[in-house]
């Protein structure tokens, strides 16, 4: 029985326990791909979906989302499709030899998707095949030898063209920078100022070049004085600004004044470096920074950053000092409670020992402070590289970071490491619930190596710019000095101590989530540590050469990677549909009949191949369930009990076809499910599902997937062209009962006013295709349909758990 048979254009009544919910669900409401189920290892060259993915190879594993040159080249060349077609005729290399032959009409040939996939796979291994290899390929693919030869020639030409185009773009940008710098220098030279009185300078008898050198010398002296004052903080002793540059450079103080640490293509770029790699301004020699700056839309523009760099450096140093005090194991700032495993900040001791570095707490704000220590399967250098790269940082914490970007790079570090790296960043930190707004943060991030094998990264908010971003209400959140201290341990492990210290306006958080956020379950240190441990464990397992094979079918390594990447995209899209972040463009709808607890958003998809074209509707809500998080998670991921809440299950248990483990526990995995039927080959439904759990959160995300497209992915094809719409659940502790066995609130009562209960906060989210035409208008009936779907699903879950 197909999904189209489950959702009809007529009205259907759902009986959910004692409640009766009427859902007007039509076949256009839910996006369920059609097709017949085939064995996952079968390859069909005639699959229509494969034409969308021809020529695409592996896209990498978790954490390999580097949008680099090759990625952009690959997108461009496959859109052109010039490497997928061949003509029967002479190539450019053999055209001269055929000038005396009579002209004949060229016959057009199009390679099959299977041929293109095999050619692309071979091209990655060997772009220049010899005669023997071309003959072997021609026999295997049913092509002529000259067709193989011409295809590889065209493919190499495409790659060369793309590289040259990218190099030209880089050179053009460099040229524009040089032009701008030249204009600034000419303007400064045309209006020289007296260094003593500040008025217009009169060169007199000296040449204009000599006068310009005197001005530059005065500027360098001022720069040297600033550097010496900052160096005192590192060296612990005065450093005279009158010392000769040679003496300063020759000392063991580590103060570098002439040679920077930024490298391009193996050559060092001239610049200036402070102790620990801090770079002031454009460098002593006036050389522009080699790292391009991303200009901010929050008012902190490049000119302001240049003018305030000394202030930012002082702020970073103060924040690092505060972090080290708070992270110290014997710090008097923390009070043990709840059996000695939970720590809370002693605010009186904090106010006595630490001077605030970003000003007093705004009126109406409350403070959230947590600390957690854990052992992680990653070394300190690798973790520092991850934290200082905005994209890799967001990939390491996908459920926490909706979006991250580097606004300005003040220093890249020194000695080829991240020691002394300082940059301004912007991030959107999320909690998987529509009832908690996304936290918009603008902060400094400073990395420093304290001793051998001991590193620290600190964040502190930068209070500059406008008061809102895109009208979002939750911009009034300040990040006090927070971060982590990492100490290397044997066998590649690290001991990580994480400190989270923020101030935020509690009034914008829904009443249901205030205990969880205030106790640290929402954004606290233990959630960052738990996510880091789970992600590092997942990467260690997936990169291991001995991955346990729990699949019911043989699955190649390339197919495994493609399937995991598809599951990651599915989960990321689910998170963006639950939280209103800027990671994906959504338009929020305000419908009075639904109340404030149900958030509805919509978007029009025209050219995104990862979603079906048309109008997509996303709806999500959160409720309190008087069941432990572990019990609720195990119930939702059990395929044998899925029929009790999922209408996709055909009214019976579901069968697991593929299982890819992503952690030590059975709950962290990616799997393929299909509904049970009398004849399995007649089932037209395959569900891709990802589940994961850690001490802070549990997630179950699933989406129906077209069987033909899925077969291409499992054979190693590109998953970017597989259209899907995710749905799922996010489960968090309610904050009233801690994971350490004690109540975090006095009384620990449920939201309904009862006694002590161990409960969970369940977020339910659905994304459906309401119309396949992007130009169509959204109707109230479509909104009511998805609202009824959410209500019915929640009621079924409560009935199955005997809570209704």
């Amino acid at each position: 029985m197909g999904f189209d048979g489950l959702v009809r254009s007529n009205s259907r009544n759902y009986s959910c326990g004692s409640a009766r919910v009427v859902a007007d669900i039509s076949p256009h409401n839910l996006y369920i791909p059609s097709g017949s189920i085939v064995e996952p290892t079968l390859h069909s060259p005639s699959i229509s979906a494969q034409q969308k993915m021809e020529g695409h190879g592996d896209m990498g594993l978790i954490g390999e989302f580097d949008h680099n040159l090759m990625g952009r080249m690959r997108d461009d060349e496959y859109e052109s499709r010039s490497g997928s077609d061949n003509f029967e005729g002479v190539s450019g290399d053999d055209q001269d030899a055929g000038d005396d032959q009579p002209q004949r009409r060229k016959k057009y040939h199009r390679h099959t998707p299977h041929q293109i996939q095999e050619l692309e796979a071979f091209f990655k291994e060997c772009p220049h095949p010899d005669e023997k290899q071309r003959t072997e390929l021609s026999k295997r693919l049913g092509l002529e030898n000259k067709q193989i030869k011409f295809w590889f020639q065209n493919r190499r030409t495409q790659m060369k063209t793309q590289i040259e185009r990218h190099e030209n773009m880089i050179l053009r940008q460099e040229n524009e920078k040089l032009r701008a710098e030249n204009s600034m220098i000419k303007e400064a030279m045309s209006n020289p100022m007296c260094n003593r009185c500040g008025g217009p300078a009169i060169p007199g008898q000296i040449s204009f070049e000599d006068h310009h050198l005197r001005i530059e010398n005065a500027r360098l002296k001022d720069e040297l004085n600033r550097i010496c004052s900052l160096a005192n903080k590192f060296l612990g002793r005065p450093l005279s600004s009158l010392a000769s540059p040679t003496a300063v450079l020759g000392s063991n103080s580590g103060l570098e004044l002439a040679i920077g640490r930024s490298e391009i293509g193996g050559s060092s770029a001239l610049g200036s470096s402070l102790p620990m790699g801090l770079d002031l301004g454009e460098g002593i020699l006036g050389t522009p920074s080699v790292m391009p700056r991303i200009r901010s839309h929050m008012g902190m523009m490049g000119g302001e950053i240049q003018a305030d760099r000394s202030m930012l450096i002082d702020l970073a140093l103060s924040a690092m000092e505060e972090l080290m005090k708070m992270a110290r194991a014997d710090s008097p700032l923390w009070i043990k409670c709840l059996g000695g495993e939970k720590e809370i900040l002693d605010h009186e001791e904090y106010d006595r020992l630490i001077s605030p570095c970003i000003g007093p707490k705004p009126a109406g704000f409350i403070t959230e402070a947590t600390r957690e220590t854990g052992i992680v399967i990653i070394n300190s250098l690798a973790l520092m590289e991850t934290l200082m790269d905005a994209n890799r940082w967001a990939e390491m914490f996908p459920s926490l970071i909706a979006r991250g970007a580097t606004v300005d790079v003040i220093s890249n570090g020194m000695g080829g490491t991240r020691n002394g790296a300082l940059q301004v960043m912007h991030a959107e930190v999320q909690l998987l619930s529509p009832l908690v707004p996304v936290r918009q943060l603008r902060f400094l991030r400073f990395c420093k190596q304290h001793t051998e094998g001991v590193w620290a990264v600190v964040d502190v908010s930068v209070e500059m710019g406008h008061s809102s971003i895109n009208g979002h209400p939750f911009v009034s959140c300040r990040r006090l000095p927070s971060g982590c201290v990492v100490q290397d341990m044997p066998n590649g492990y690290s001991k990580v101590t994480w400190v989270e210290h923020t101030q935020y306006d509690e009034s914008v958080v829904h009443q249901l989530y205030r205990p969880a956020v205030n106790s640290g379950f929402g954004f606290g240190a233990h959630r960052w540590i738990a996510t880091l441990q789970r992600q590092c464990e997942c990467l260690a397992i997936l990169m291991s050469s001995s991955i346990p094979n729990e699949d019911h079918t043989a699955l190649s390594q390339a197919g495994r990677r493609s399937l995991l990447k598809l599951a990651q995209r599915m989960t990321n899209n689910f998170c963006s549909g639950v939280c209103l972040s800027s990671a994906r463009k959504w338009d929020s709808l305000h419908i009075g009949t639904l109340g404030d607890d149900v958030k509805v958003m919509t978007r029009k998809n025209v050219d995104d191949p990862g979603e079906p074209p048309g109008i997509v509707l996303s709806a999500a809500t959160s409720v309190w369930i008087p069941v432990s998080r572990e019990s609720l998670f195990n119930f939702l991921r059990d395929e044998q009990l899925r029929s009790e809440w999922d209408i996709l299950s055909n009214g019976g248990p579901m069968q697991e076809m593929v299982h890819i483990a992503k952690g030590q526990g059975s709950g962290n995995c990616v799997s393929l499910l299909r509904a049970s039927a009398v004849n399995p080959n007649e089932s037209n439904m395959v569900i891709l599902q990802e589940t994961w759990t850690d001490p802070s959160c549990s997630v179950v995300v699933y989406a129906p997937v077209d069987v033909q497209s899925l077969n291409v992915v499992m054979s190693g094809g590109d998953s970017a062209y597989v259209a899907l719409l995710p749905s799922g659940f996010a489960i968090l502790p309610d904050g009233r009962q801690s994971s350490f066995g004690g109540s975090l609130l006095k009384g620990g009562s449920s939201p309904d006013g009862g006694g002590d209960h161990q409960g969970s906060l369940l977020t339910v989210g659905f994304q459906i295709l309401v119309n396949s035409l992007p130009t169509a208008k959204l109707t109230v009936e479509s909104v009511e349909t998805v609202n009824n779907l959410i209500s019915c699903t929640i009621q079924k879950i409560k009935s199955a758990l005997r809570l209704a």
Side-chain angles (χ1 to χ4, degrees):
M1 180 176 178
F3 211 34
D4 294 336
L6 291 174
V7 285
R8 301 296 186 187
S9 59
N10 298 329
S11 299
R12 169 171 293 188
N13 297 336
Y14 290 92
S15 296
C16 304
S18 60
R20 186 177 180 83
V21 183
V22 179
D24 183 13
I25 304 178
S26 66
H28 297 286
N29 289 337
L30 296 175
Y31 173 70
I32 303 298
S34 60
S36 299
I37 186 67
V38 294
E39 290 303 320
T41 54
L42 293 180
H43 302 269
S44 176
S46 63
I47 294 175
S48 61
Q50 194 170 3
Q51 296 178 357
K52 299 179 182 178
M53 288 173 258
E54 58 189 27
H56 291 265
D58 300 339
M59 297 291 290
L61 201 52
I62 304 294
E64 298 179 358
F65 299 96
D66 187 14
H67 301 287
N68 52 19
L69 169 62
M70 298 305 298
R72 293 193 296 271
M73 286 167 37
R74 194 161 51 199
D75 292 339
D76 293 337
E77 64 185 338
Y78 294 142
E79 289 177 2
S80 66
R81 296 176 55 87
S82 61
S84 303
D85 305 323
N86 265 303
F87 291 92
E88 184 177 308
V90 293
S91 69
D93 297 341
D94 302 331
Q95 191 169 1
D96 295 336
D99 289 339
D100 57 343
Q101 297 179 0
Q103 296 292 329
R104 61 176 180 177
R105 186 174 181 179
K106 296 181 180 179
K107 187 177 180 180
Y108 183 82
H109 286 281
R110 182 181 294 276
H111 296 331
T112 66
H114 174 70
Q115 291 172 338
I116 295 172
Q117 184 176 359
E118 293 291 329
L119 289 170
E120 288 291 345
F122 195 90
F123 184 82
K124 292 179 180 179
E125 302 294 332
C126 180
H128 296 270
D130 55 20
E131 184 65 24
K132 181 179 178 181
Q133 292 172 322
R134 291 198 300 267
T135 303
E136 180 183 358
L137 275 175
S138 64
K139 292 179 180 180
R140 177 151 48 108
L141 301 179
L143 298 173
E144 297 181 7
N145 192 293
K146 64 178 182 179
Q147 289 179 300
I148 302 294
K149 176 182 177 182
F150 296 160
W151 189 94
F152 276 89
Q153 289 177 353
N154 295 338
R155 187 67 175 80
R156 291 192 297 268
T157 302
Q158 285 182 346
M159 179 171 290
K160 181 180 178 181
T161 302
Q162 296 290 343
I163 294 176
E164 291 176 350
R165 183 184 306 168
H166 182 74
E167 291 176 347
N168 289 337
M169 180 182 65
I170 295 177
L171 292 175
R172 192 178 299 110
Q173 294 175 351
E174 294 288 341
N175 190 27
E176 292 298 329
K177 292 180 181 180
L178 292 176
R179 287 176 182 271
E181 182 184 2
N182 191 25
S183 300
M184 293 175 60
I185 294 176
K186 287 182 178 179
E187 183 179 357
M189 293 176 63
S190 62
N191 299 305
M193 304 296 294
C194 178
N195 193 40
R196 294 183 179 179
C197 65
I202 303 177
Q205 300 298 323
I206 63 175
S207 65
F208 188 81
E209 290 78 7
D210 292 342
H211 182 72
H212 175 67
L213 290 176
R214 292 184 180 183
I215 295 176
E216 184 70 11
N217 187 36
R219 187 186 69 82
L220 293 178
K221 287 182 178 180
D222 292 339
E223 191 78 13
L224 180 59
N225 291 332
R226 291 172 54 199
I227 293 175
C228 291
S229 63
L230 288 172
N232 294 339
K233 299 181 180 180
F234 288 96
L235 303 178
R237 58 180 176 83
L239 181 64
S240 174
S241 61
L242 300 178
S244 65
T246 305
V248 173
L249 291 173
S251 65
N252 294 326
S253 65
L255 182 64
E256 301 173 77
L257 299 178
I259 304 299
R261 293 295 184 178
S262 300
E263 296 183 0
I264 303 179
S267 61
S268 297
L270 291 179
S272 67
S273 297
L274 287 175
M276 311 306 295
L278 295 180
D279 189 6
L280 282 177
E282 295 293 353
I284 291 295
L285 301 181
T287 307
S289 173
V290 299
M291 176 64 71
R293 295 186 180 89
I294 305 174
R295 299 305 179 188
S296 165
H297 60 275
M298 291 186 63
M300 192 172 181
M301 305 304 291
E304 297 177 14
I305 294 178
Q306 286 291 101
D308 297 324
R309 289 198 174 189
S310 296
M311 180 196 68
L312 296 181
I313 293 173
D314 290 336
L315 178 61
L317 295 173
S318 300
M320 178 63 71
E321 182 181 0
E322 179 174 334
L323 173 68
M324 298 306 295
K325 291 181 180 179
M326 298 186 70
R328 202 173 64 222
D330 57 347
S331 174
L333 299 172
W334 300 93
I335 302 175
K336 295 283 187 179
C337 65
L338 300 177
E341 298 187 38
K342 185 72 176 178
E343 293 179 317
I344 61 174
L345 182 65
D346 187 342
H347 293 282
E348 294 183 0
E349 192 71 11
Y350 176 84
D351 294 336
R352 188 180 67 86
L353 295 179
I354 296 180
S355 300
C357 56
I358 60 173
K361 180 172 66 175
F365 278 37
I366 66 172
T367 302
E368 169 197 336
T370 54
R371 184 174 75 166
E372 187 73 16
T373 301
I375 305 300
V376 183
I377 312 176
I378 191 173
N379 61 67
S380 60
L381 291 179
L383 184 55
M384 293 303 105
E385 290 293 335
T386 299
L387 296 177
M388 299 306 295
D389 186 292
N391 293 329
R392 293 172 61 181
W393 176 53
E395 292 168 6
M396 181 64 78
F397 302 93
S399 61
L400 273 165
I401 307 300
R403 179 176 172 269
T406 300
V407 177
D408 189 82
V409 177
I410 301 175
S411 172
N412 275 324
M414 61 178 296
T417 68
R418 290 291 187 173
N419 184 21
L422 180 62
Q423 57 195 31
V424 182
M425 301 181 68
H426 168 68
E428 298 179 14
V429 185
Q430 64 187 2
L431 183 65
L432 295 181
S433 172
L435 306 184
V436 181
V438 175
R439 290 185 172 182
Q440 304 278 354
L441 296 174
R442 176 61 56 97
F443 56 92
L444 268 179
R445 175 161 290 182
F446 178 41
C447 177
K448 181 179 179 181
Q449 183 181 15
H450 291 270
T451 59
E452 184 67 26
V454 177
W455 292 74
V457 173
V458 66
D459 298 343
V460 60
S461 285
V462 179
E463 296 182 334
M464 298 180 67
H466 303 298
S467 60
S468 64
I469 303 175
N470 300 329
H472 200 287
F474 204 94
V475 294
S476 53
C477 174
R478 308 198 315 166
R479 190 170 174 84
L480 277 66
S482 306
C484 61
V485 178
V486 185
Q487 180 180 358
D488 279 330
M489 299 183 67
N491 303 325
Y493 285 71
S494 295
K495 179 182 178 182
V496 180
T497 300
W498 203 289
V499 174
E500 280 295 313
H501 195 189
T502 59
Q503 295 172 345
Y504 66 96
D505 185 4
E506 190 182 38
S507 62
V508 299
V509 181
H510 193 277
Q511 187 71 32
L512 185 65
Y513 274 83
R514 288 184 183 179
V517 175
N518 191 29
S519 61
F521 281 104
F523 302 96
H526 90 286
R527 189 178 175 204
W528 291 90
I529 286 290
T531 304
L532 180 63
Q533 289 174 327
R534 174 173 51 82
Q535 287 290 97
C536 291
E537 180 185 358
C538 173
L539 291 175
I541 291 177
L542 296 179
M543 289 188 297
S544 174
S545 58
S546 58
I547 300 178
N549 186 11
E550 302 181 27
D551 304 346
H552 299 284
T553 62
L555 192 61
S556 65
Q557 190 70 15
R560 187 187 301 267
R561 286 196 296 265
S562 296
L563 192 61
L564 288 171
K565 185 172 183 182
L566 179 62
Q568 185 182 43
R569 175 163 65 88
M570 174 185 68
T571 303
N572 291 341
N573 290 353
F574 169 77
C575 295
S576 69
V578 170
C579 307
L580 185 56
S581 66
S582 64
R584 292 172 67 85
K585 180 175 176 56
W586 289 96
D587 297 323
S588 181
L589 300 179
H590 301 282
I591 303 176
T593 58
L594 299 182
D596 296 333
D597 294 346
V598 179
K599 302 297 182 182
V600 180
M601 300 182 294
T602 182
R603 66 189 304 265
K604 294 181 180 180
N605 179 38
V606 179
D607 54 0
D608 185 359
E611 281 187 355
I615 298 179
V616 179
L617 189 67
S618 174
T621 189
S622 297
V623 295
W624 182 78
I625 302 292
V627 177
S628 67
R629 180 174 60 90
E630 294 79 8
S631 300
L632 185 56
F633 173 69
N634 292 330
F635 167 75
L636 293 174
R637 73 181 183 88
D638 191 345
E639 61 269 14
Q640 300 300 319
L641 303 176
R642 198 180 188 97
S643 60
E644 299 188 24
W645 59 267
D646 188 7
I647 63 174
L648 301 179
S649 62
N650 273 352
M654 304 197 76
Q655 178 184 358
E656 186 178 55
M657 300 161 50
V658 174
H659 180 97
I660 302 178
K662 295 182 63 179
Q664 297 293 339
S666 59
N668 295 334
C669 66
V670 171
S671 55
L672 290 178
L673 308 175
R674 66 180 174 188
S676 300
V678 177
N679 185 359
N681 291 328
E682 293 180 359
S683 175
N684 60 351
M685 187 186 310
V686 175
I687 295 179
L688 173 65
Q689 177 174 283
E690 179 175 12
T691 61
W692 56 259
T693 183
D694 57 43
S696 66
C697 182
S698 302
V699 167
V700 177
V701 183
Y702 62 93
V705 183
D706 180 79
V707 176
Q708 296 177 338
S709 301
L710 189 60
N711 277 326
V712 177
V713 172
M714 295 177 65
S715 63
D718 186 9
S719 63
Y721 289 87
V722 178
L724 52 78
L725 292 177
S727 301
F729 309 93
I731 315 168
L732 278 80
D734 60 5
R736 292 167 173 79
Q737 192 76 15
S738 75
S739 59
F740 308 108
S743 176
L744 294 177
L745 299 180
K746 294 182 179 180
S749 60
S750 68
D752 296 330
D756 290 348
H757 292 289
Q758 187 177 16
S760 304
L761 296 174
L762 174 65
T763 296
V764 184
F766 286 95
Q767 295 183 27
I768 64 174
L769 182 70
V770 297
N771 199 307
S772 58
L773 296 177
T775 57
K777 294 184 178 180
L778 186 66
T779 62
V780 178
E781 290 76 10
S782 300
V783 178
E784 291 294 337
T785 295
V786 71
N787 183 46
N788 292 338
L789 183 60
I790 289 180
S791 301
C792 184
T793 302
I794 293 176
Q795 190 64 31
K796 284 187 174 183
I797 292 174
K798 290 183 177 180
S799 299
L801 297 174
R802 295 177 175 83
L803 303 176

